């Protein structure tokens, strides 16, 4: 019988969605799979310590290079699963003529209507690091805007509640993500380039894990590609009664 493979993913639901697709391939080829999750820094620590065989996934080069670089001699980049990118988004009902760029948050209409709290997720996430810097670099703090790291639930529920009341709000978000499957969210232009651009969500394997894999499995993993839309759909299924359908 094929060996047990430990698949780790960052503890956010869209990472879970992509990891399940990796796990399906492993299980179809006879492997038992053990799952481990952690916040960003801890997930990479587990990879370096040999506590997981695969990490799904590292966002490279912008978001996670700082975590992966110390481990490069221990790991292999297997495949790019999708192409994520970070945004600051506003609900569709915020008129684009009034707020189209991050700097428009300083204009009189936004000053009057936009809520000042920008609620994020955990502080180790790329979007959190980027957002904290943006508040200062765009001078948003001069009008009382402030970024607050927190949980996924705190970030998403704040947006959902604001959307229901048609309140003006900024959400630090990314593609792919299940909210895009349900809500119309418009990305603000960010001319300073502080959001990091488009990354490649890369499946990472410890080099010493390759010998555990059944014949042909690595080749199958190398061919796995999901894309942003599919990951958003799978992420949404996880939110709905923890469903997940093989692509």
């Amino acid at each position: 019988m094929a060996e047990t493979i430990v698949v780790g993913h960052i503890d956010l639901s869209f990472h879970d969605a992509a990891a399940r697709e990796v796990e399906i391939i492993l299980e179809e080829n006879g492997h038992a799979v053990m799952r481990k999750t952690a916040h960003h820094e801890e997930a990479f620590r587990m990879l370096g310590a040999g506590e997981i065989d695969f990490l799904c996934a590292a966002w490279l080069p912008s978001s996670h290079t700082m975590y992966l670089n110390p481990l490069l001699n221990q790991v292999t980049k297997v495949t790019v699963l999708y192409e994520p990118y970070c945004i600051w988004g506003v609900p569709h009902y915020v008129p684009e003529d009034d707020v189209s760029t991050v700097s428009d948050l300083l204009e009189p209409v936004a000053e009057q209507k936009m809520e000042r709290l920008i609620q994020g997720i955990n502080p180790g996430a790329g979007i959190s690091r980027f957002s904290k810097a943006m508040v200062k670099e765009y001078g948003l703090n001069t009008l009382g805007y402030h970024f607050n790291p927190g949980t996924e639930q705190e970030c998403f529920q704040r947006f959902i509640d604001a959307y229901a009341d048609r309140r003006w709000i900024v959400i630090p978000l990314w593609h792919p993500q299940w909210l895009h499957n349900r809500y119309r969210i418009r990305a603000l232009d960010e001319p300073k380039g502080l959001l990091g651009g488009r990354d490649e969500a890369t499946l990472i394997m410890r080099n010493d894990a390759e010998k555990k894999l059944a014949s042909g499995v690595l080749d199958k993993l190398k061919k796995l590609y999901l894309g942003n839309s599919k990951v958003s759909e799978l992420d949404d299924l996880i939110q709905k009664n923890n469903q997940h359908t093989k692509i």
Side-chain angles (χ1 to χ4, degrees), residues 7-8 14 21 27 35 38 65 70-71 88 103 107 127 129 140 142 175 183 191 195 204 206 211 213 236:
V7 177
F14 65 95
E21 294 295 310
E27 290 170 344
R35 318 183 87 227
T65 291
L71 311 177
W88 271 17
S103 58
E107 295 299 319
I127 183 62
R129 301 196 315 272
L140 301 177
T142 63
H175 286 273
Y183 299 94
L195 282 171
I204 306 295
R206 282 189 58 85
K211 63 181 181 294
L213 296 177
D236 199 15

Side-chain angles (χ1 to χ4, degrees), residues 11-234:
D11 192 16
L12 296 167
S13 61
F14 65 95
H15 283 297
D16 184 8
R20 294 186 192 205
E21 294 295 310
V22 172
E23 292 162 6
I24 286 169
I25 291 176
L26 292 168
E27 290 170 344
E28 286 179 343
N29 286 271
H31 288 287
V33 173
M34 182 182 297
R35 318 183 87 227
K36 290 189 176 182
T37 65
H39 287 316
H40 295 73
E41 300 97 325
E42 176 64 9
F44 284 89
R45 186 206 63 78
M46 292 193 305
L47 181 67
E51 297 173 16
I52 57 177
D53 298 307
F54 286 88
L55 177 62
C56 186
W59 286 18
L60 306 173
S62 296
S63 292
H64 300 155
T65 291
M66 62 187 293
Y67 303 137
L68 186 64
N69 272 350
L71 311 177
L72 288 178
N73 64 341
Q74 303 177 50
V75 301
T76 297
K77 299 173 184 178
V78 177
T79 187
V80 174
L81 297 169
Y82 54 96
E83 295 87 13
Y85 57 96
C86 296
I87 68 168
W88 271 17
V90 296
H92 72 93
Y93 51 78
V94 175
E96 190 167 2
D97 287 345
D98 292 329
V99 184
S100 63
T101 74
V102 173
S103 58
D104 285 340
L105 297 173
L106 297 169
E107 295 299 319
V109 174
E111 182 179 0
Q112 180 183 4
K113 295 185 178 182
M114 190 68 70
E115 296 187 5
R116 300 301 197 265
L117 171 60
I118 300 172
Q119 178 63 56
I121 59 170
N122 72 79
I127 183 62
S128 297
R129 301 196 315 272
F130 304 154
S131 295
K132 184 178 179 180
M134 285 170 62
V135 170
K136 180 178 179 181
E137 292 298 322
Y138 281 92
L140 301 177
N141 52 322
T142 63
L143 287 185
Y145 289 99
H146 55 287
F147 174 77
N148 184 50
T151 66
E152 233 185 334
Q153 182 62 27
E154 287 170 335
C155 176
F156 302 161
Q157 193 61 52
R158 177 172 167 76
F159 175 82
I160 291 166
D161 292 344
Y163 199 100
D165 296 334
R166 296 184 72 86
R167 305 194 324 257
W168 285 31
I169 187 174
V170 175
I171 181 170
L173 202 57
W174 54 89
H175 286 273
Q177 210 281 328
W178 65 271
L179 287 174
H180 297 293
N181 226 43
R182 303 190 197 182
Y183 299 94
R184 292 163 58 194
I185 302 171
R186 177 169 54 82
L188 299 180
D189 290 337
E190 196 274 290
K192 293 181 182 290
L194 300 177
L195 282 171
R198 188 175 290 262
D199 273 332
E200 293 184 337
T202 306
L203 177 63
I204 306 295
M205 178 186 70
R206 282 189 58 85
N207 295 333
D208 55 13
E210 184 173 356
K211 63 181 181 294
K212 300 181 183 180
L213 296 177
S215 177
V217 173
L218 185 56
D219 286 339
K220 292 177 181 178
L221 291 173
K222 287 180 178 179
K223 296 175 182 176
L224 179 62
Y225 177 76
L226 304 174
N228 288 357
S229 294
K230 177 58 66 176
V231 174
S232 290
E233 292 172 13
L234 295 175

